[in-house]
Amino acid sequence: MTDTATFKKRVNEALANPKLSAALHLFGDAYLIARENAFRGLDFDQMRTELAAIKDEVRVRRKELLAQFIANAEAAGTKVFVARDTREANDYVVNLARQKNAGLVAKSKSMVSEEAHLNKALEAAGIRAAETDLGEWIVQLAGQRPSHLVMPAIHMFKEEVAELFSKEIGRPLDPEIKTLVDAARNQLRQEYFAADIGLTGANFLVADTGAIGLVTNEGNARLCATLPKVHVVFAGIHKLVRNIEDAIKITRLLPRNATGQLLTSYVTWIRGAVPTPGNDKEQHIVLIDGGREALYESPVCRDALRCIQCGACANVCPVYQTVGGHVFGSIYISAIGIILTAFYEGLDKSREITRACIGCRSCTAVCPANIDLEEIILHLRGQVTREYGMGLVKNITFKAVMKNRALFHNMIKAASRLQKPVTQPRQGQPEQRVIRHLPMHFMDKDLTEWRDLPAVAPKSFRDLFGDIVQKLDKPRYRVGFFVGCGADFVYPEVGVSLVKVLNHLGVEVVFPQEQNCCGIPALYAGDAETGVELAKQSVKAFHEANVDYVLCVCPTCTMGVKRDFVDRLVDDAIWSARAVSLAEKTMDAAAFLGNILNASGDFSGAVGKDITYHDSCHLKRGNDVWREPRALLAASGYQLTEMKNSDRCCGFGGTYSFLSHPQISRQISGDKVESIKTTGIKTVAMDCPGCMMMINGSLGKADPTVRCAHTMELLAEALAAGYDKDRGEQ
C-alpha cells in the first residue's frame, strides 16, 4: 500500500519536472487532432456501442467461449494452460524454459507480463528476458516500468534515451530519433535469432478458430512468434472474442483511438505454431485470470473488462498529463488503471489513485468501449472510504454539517461574517470580494499563493429570492430552480440573472427552500450515506413543488439530480419513483432556454462584446450541453472567440482543489488560464459556479483584468442593454 505522504511526495517530484508535463501536453494536443482526423466520416458513438455489445456478450458467454477457444487451439496443436493468478502463469513459463534449457526469452510488448512481473521471475530462475519493443526496451534499460499502455517510454526524452543506448552499445550516440531507432534495430535483431523462446501477448483470442490476433507497429511480435522454436502467448482471459469478424471491428477502433492511426503497421493472425522449415515448432498459450473473473462478477465495475487497452483515457486525462503514469497508476495507468489495480492487485494498492481522479469525464468521452470510467472510480472511492475513512475534515463537513440543512446554512451565514478580516476587493473588479491570503497555518502556499479564494456572498440566493418580484399573468411554464451551493452562497447573482431571463421569456420560477446540496462533494469523497440523505431532502422538496421542469445553473448538480439521485434511491420503491420523476424533468438552464423555449431569437443582440467560452466538464461530457450556450450568447450579440482546448478541465474538482490535490489543480488551472490569456479576450463565459471559482481565482493572481461570468449573467446583461437601447430610441 502507498500511504498518502508517499503518494504526495511522488506527485511533488513529478510536478518539479516541468519538461515531463510539457511533453505530455504536446502529445495530448497532437493526439486530439490526429484522433479527430482518424474518425472523420465514421460514427464513433455507434462503433463504441457495437464494441460494448460484443464485449458484453463475451462476458455473459465467457465460460462457453473459453472452452471453445481452448478446444480449437488444442486441435491446432497448441498447449493451453489456464492460470488462476500471475504466480501460476510465471511458474508455467519458468518451468517450460527449464524443460527447453532456455537461457533467453525474446519478448514483444505485453502488459500482462508487466502485471505478472514476469521478467523478475525469469531473472530469478537465471533466464534472461529481452524486451524487443522499442519503448519496452528503453524502460527495461532504465530499470523502470511503462508509463503508458501503448507508449511505454512516453515520459522519457531523446537525450535520456541516447545516454541509455550509448551505455548499452558501448559507444556514444547522438540524441537523434533516426540514430537511436537504427541503433535499437541493430542491437535487438540478434535477440530473435539467439532466443530459445519467443513470448507475445494477444490482442484477441478468437474462440471459433483458436487463433490469436496481434496488433503492433514494429513487427517485433511477428519475429518473436516466428524465429524461436517455442512461442509462448501470455494473455488475460478477457481478450476473448467470438470470431474474427468481431476482432476486425475492434481493429477499426483500436489504432484510431490509441494513436490516431487508421491502421497499425502489422495486424497478425496466428493459429497454432508458426511453421518454421526444418524445425519442430511449439506454441503454448497461457491464459490468466488474476482477478478478471472477480471483476466480471462485479455488477458495478465489470464494464472495465470491455477495455481494449488503447490508452486513450491517459491521452486526454489532465491529471496524467500533469504528473505522468508513474504517479497516476500502478502497472496499468490512468482511469482504467485505477480500476484494474483495485481488482488485480487489491483495493489497498488503489487507495491513493482512486482519489487522484479529478472526475472530469474526459476518459469516458473517448473510451471506445463505452465504459463509464468515472462512475466505476466513484464506486471504488466509496469502497476505499468505507475501508480507510475519508479524513476528519470531510467527515465533519459531510456527516455532521451538510446532512443538517439548517445547521449547514447557518454556518455559511456565519462564515460570511467571520471572513471579513481576510477579504478584500478583487483587483480590477472591485465589486467582487475575494480572499487573497490566509494565515500560514491554513497552508497558504497550496491554497492562496496562486489564486484568490471565493468569498461567501453577504446574502445567499435563498435569502434574496423572497424579494424578487415576478410579474407574470399567464406563465408559459412553472419551473423549479435547483440552485446548488456555488450559486446559492458564492454567486447568488447567477440565480438572480436566471430569474430575470426566465421572466422575460414568460416563465415563472419557484424556489423550494427545503432543497439542500446535490451531494456530489460527499459522493466524490466516497460518502454514499450522506449522499442518500441529501438526495432525499431535495427529492422531497421538489416533489412537493409541483413544477413543469427543474433547472440547474451548475452542471454537476444537474448530473447529481439526473444520475446520482436515481442511483442512490433505487432500493426504495417510493423514493426511487420520485427520484426518477425529478430526473426526467431536470436539465441545465441553457438547455432549457435553447431546446424547450427555443429562445435564441428572443434576445436583443445589443451587446457587441468580445467573449471566449470555457466548457465545463460536467456540462459537455456529463450533460451533452455545449452548443446551446454558444447559440444563446451569439443571439445576444456577443462575439465569440474560441480558446484552445475549451473543454479541458479547469482543475476545480470540488474538494479536489482544496483538500485532495491542490498542487495538481494548480498546474491544470494554469493551463486553462494560459488558454484564456492567449485569446486576448477580457470576458470568459461559462456555465458552472465551480469553474467560476477556480478560473476566477486563478485569474485573480495571473490577470485580474479578465472577468469570469456565467452565461445567465451575460444574457441578463444583454436584456438590460437591449432595454436601455429601446428606451433611448423612444
Side-chain angles (χ1 to χ4, degrees):
M1 181 180 71
T2 302
D3 59 52
T4 301
T6 302
F7 183 78
K8 289 192 173 182
K9 181 175 181 288
R10 291 178 183 172
V11 168
N12 289 330
E13 288 172 352
L15 292 173
N17 180 9
K19 285 177 63 179
L20 171 65
S21 180
L24 293 176
H25 276 75
L26 284 172
F27 167 74
D29 290 347
Y31 164 78
L32 290 173
I33 296 170
R35 180 181 181 275
E36 182 180 1
N37 291 334
F39 279 107
R40 184 167 286 117
L42 300 174
D43 188 336
F44 174 69
D45 283 332
Q46 187 276 327
M47 293 172 73
R48 70 176 183 168
T49 298
E50 185 176 20
L51 170 55
I54 289 170
K55 288 288 192 173
D56 286 349
E57 182 165 348
V58 168
R59 171 179 55 78
V60 172
R61 297 176 53 200
R62 62 187 181 276
K63 289 182 170 56
E64 168 201 342
L65 293 173
L66 180 61
Q68 184 183 20
F69 173 80
I70 292 172
N72 285 326
E74 289 177 340
T78 297
K79 296 178 182 178
V80 182
F81 175 72
V82 180
R84 289 172 297 180
D85 53 33
T86 55
R87 182 188 60 79
E88 284 191 355
N90 288 348
D91 287 347
Y92 183 92
V93 177
V94 168
N95 290 333
L96 177 65
R98 285 171 173 162
Q99 291 170 18
K100 302 298 180 183
N101 294 316
L104 173 62
V105 176
K107 294 176 68 232
S108 70
K109 188 175 182 304
S110 165
M111 282 306 299
V112 73
S113 76
E114 295 285 350
E115 174 192 334
H117 303 288
L118 175 62
N119 289 8
K120 289 184 178 180
L122 290 170
E123 182 182 352
I127 303 159
R128 185 166 72 90
E131 297 288 357
T132 63
D133 173 87
L134 178 59
E136 289 281 354
W137 189 50
I138 291 170
V139 295
Q140 184 182 33
L141 292 178
Q144 299 177 6
R145 59 181 174 83
S147 65
H148 192 282
L149 294 178
V150 176
M151 295 158 283
I154 192 173
H155 61 286
M156 298 188 71
F157 297 90
K158 59 184 181 180
E159 291 78 12
E160 297 173 87
V161 176
E163 186 177 343
L164 286 171
F165 283 10
S166 298
K167 183 178 179 181
E168 177 70 14
I169 293 171
R171 59 183 174 84
L173 295 173
D174 293 330
E176 301 298 330
I177 300 299
K178 185 179 187 307
T179 299
L180 297 175
V181 171
D182 287 346
R185 180 180 291 112
N186 291 334
Q187 187 75 8
L188 293 175
R189 186 159 293 271
Q190 60 188 341
E191 305 283 27
Y192 304 116
F193 294 100
D196 305 289
I197 295 175
L199 186 142
T200 70
N203 294 94
F204 311 107
L205 304 169
V206 185
D208 71 346
T209 63
I212 68 161
L214 293 166
V215 181
T216 64
N217 267 323
E218 297 176 21
N220 59 313
R222 286 185 178 177
L223 292 170
C224 287
T226 304
L227 294 179
K229 293 182 179 180
V230 178
H231 173 207
V232 174
V233 179
F234 217 61
I237 58 173
H238 65 295
K239 294 299 182 74
L240 282 166
V241 292
R242 297 172 299 187
N243 48 51
I244 199 167
E245 288 79 13
D246 286 350
I248 289 171
K249 288 175 182 176
I250 297 173
T251 62
R252 295 185 69 212
L253 272 164
L254 178 55
R256 286 180 166 91
N257 220 55
T259 57
Q261 296 172 268
L262 299 182
L263 193 64
T264 50
S265 302
Y266 301 90
V267 179
T268 307
W269 308 100
I270 301 173
R271 181 175 184 267
V274 178
T276 305
N279 289 314
D280 294 329
K281 189 69 181 283
E282 295 180 18
Q283 185 187 62
H284 298 252
I285 297 179
V286 181
L287 302 176
I288 303 166
D289 180 345
R292 287 158 179 81
E293 187 62 32
L295 183 48
Y296 270 136
E297 290 295 328
S298 170
V300 179
C301 304
R302 64 192 183 193
D303 287 355
L305 284 179
R306 294 175 182 167
C307 176
I308 59 173
Q309 293 186 200
C310 67
C313 54
N315 298 349
V316 298
C317 174
V319 179
Y320 177 86
Q321 290 179 355
T322 301
V323 298
H326 288 155
V327 173
F328 194 30
S330 179
I331 301 302
Y332 299 98
I333 48 85
S334 193
I336 192 64
I338 293 172
I339 303 163
L340 299 184
T341 299
F343 280 87
Y344 295 175
E345 299 183 62
L347 190 65
D348 60 327
K349 295 290 181 65
S350 66
R351 174 179 173 180
E352 292 302 328
I353 57 175
T354 59
R355 294 167 176 164
C357 171
I358 200 169
C360 70
R361 295 186 64 80
S362 295
C363 53
T364 299
V366 300
C367 177
N370 218 9
I371 307 168
D372 193 332
L373 293 154
E374 187 216 15
E375 180 79 4
I376 299 174
I377 292 169
L378 288 178
H379 171 76
L380 291 173
R381 193 177 290 172
Q383 289 188 315
V384 167
T385 296
R386 286 190 294 274
E387 184 74 22
Y388 302 105
M390 61 182 169
L392 180 62
V393 174
K394 291 180 181 179
N395 237 339
I396 294 173
T397 301
F398 299 138
K399 294 186 180 298
V401 176
M402 293 186 93
K403 280 186 181 180
N404 187 328
R405 185 186 58 79
L407 174 62
F408 176 39
H409 297 161
N410 284 333
M411 289 185 69
I412 295 290
K413 289 180 182 179
S416 72
R417 295 189 294 270
L418 294 171
Q419 70 183 355
K420 289 181 180 179
V422 294
T423 61
Q424 63 187 73
R426 185 188 180 202
Q427 288 179 299
Q429 297 176 50
E431 72 280 1
Q432 290 188 21
R433 294 195 67 82
V434 296
I435 301 170
R436 290 185 63 79
H437 302 286
L438 286 172
M440 286 304 294
H441 60 274
F442 284 101
M443 298 180 297
D444 188 51
K445 180 180 178 182
D446 277 344
L447 291 178
T448 58
E449 181 186 64
W450 54 280
R451 62 176 167 187
D452 297 338
L453 296 180
V456 179
K459 200 170 185 180
S460 66
F461 177 82
R462 66 181 58 240
D463 291 333
L464 292 171
F465 183 74
D467 297 327
I468 299 175
V469 178
Q470 301 187 66
K471 296 180 180 179
L472 296 167
D473 294 330
K474 294 181 179 180
R476 296 166 65 184
Y477 296 103
R478 189 169 181 266
V479 303
F481 179 29
F482 191 104
V483 64
C485 299
D488 199 354
F489 304 118
V490 181
Y491 300 116
E493 60 271 22
V494 174
V496 173
S497 296
L498 175 67
V499 176
K500 289 179 181 178
V501 170
L502 290 172
N503 285 178
H504 170 76
L505 298 169
V507 177
E508 179 187 358
V509 180
V510 175
F511 186 82
Q513 291 282 342
E514 300 300 312
Q515 64 179 284
N516 203 343
C517 173
C518 68
I520 289 283
L523 179 67
Y524 275 41
D527 183 4
E529 179 189 346
T530 296
V532 169
E533 177 58 33
L534 294 175
K536 286 183 176 179
Q537 291 179 25
S538 292
V539 167
K540 181 176 184 293
F542 283 95
H543 176 72
E544 294 171 351
N546 191 28
V547 293
D548 300 312
Y549 292 94
V550 174
L551 307 185
C552 304
V553 291
C554 172
T556 305
C557 291
T558 311
M559 283 189 64
V561 175
K562 293 181 71 66
R563 179 191 70 178
D564 300 315
F565 283 14
V566 174
D567 290 346
R568 292 176 206 161
L569 303 178
V570 70
D571 294 329
D572 185 300
I574 295 175
W575 282 110
S576 178
R578 290 178 178 179
V580 170
S581 175
L582 175 59
E584 289 173 346
K585 58 186 176 184
T586 297
M587 65 182 67
D588 178 79
F592 178 76
L593 295 178
N595 301 330
I596 304 300
L597 298 184
N598 298 312
S600 59
D602 291 302
F603 297 98
S604 65
V607 181
K609 181 183 290 185
D610 292 330
I611 63 169
T612 189
Y613 187 82
H614 161 69
D615 289 283
S616 303
C617 296
H618 287 166
L619 187 70
K620 184 173 184 181
R621 292 185 286 271
N623 293 287
D624 194 29
V625 175
W626 53 281
R627 302 174 188 87
E628 295 88 341
R630 288 172 166 82
L632 291 165
L633 290 165
S636 303
Y638 292 99
Q639 304 299 314
L640 176 63
T641 297
E642 293 286 356
M643 72 175 79
K644 180 182 177 182
N645 298 321
S646 64
D647 62 353
R648 181 171 283 170
C649 180
C650 71
F652 181 59
T655 58
Y656 190 96
S657 66
F658 294 103
L659 298 176
S660 301
H661 296 291
Q663 68 278 52
I664 295 177
S665 288
R666 176 180 186 169
Q667 179 69 44
I668 296 172
S669 183
D671 297 337
K672 178 59 65 174
V673 166
E674 285 305 308
S675 293
I676 294 168
K677 288 171 63 178
T678 300
T679 67
I681 306 297
K682 294 301 182 181
T683 300
V684 52
M686 60 200 72
D687 283 77
C688 174
C691 295
M692 291 174 67
M693 293 182 203
M694 193 67 179
I695 298 174
N696 202 38
S698 298
L699 284 167
K701 294 289 174 70
D703 187 353
T705 65
V706 179
R707 177 196 178 198
C708 293
H710 197 283
T711 294
M712 295 304 127
E713 292 181 271
L714 296 175
L715 296 183
E717 290 169 17
L719 291 176
Y723 178 69
D724 290 342
K725 178 182 177 183
D726 291 342
R727 282 198 310 175
E729 290 176 351
Q730 291 173 359

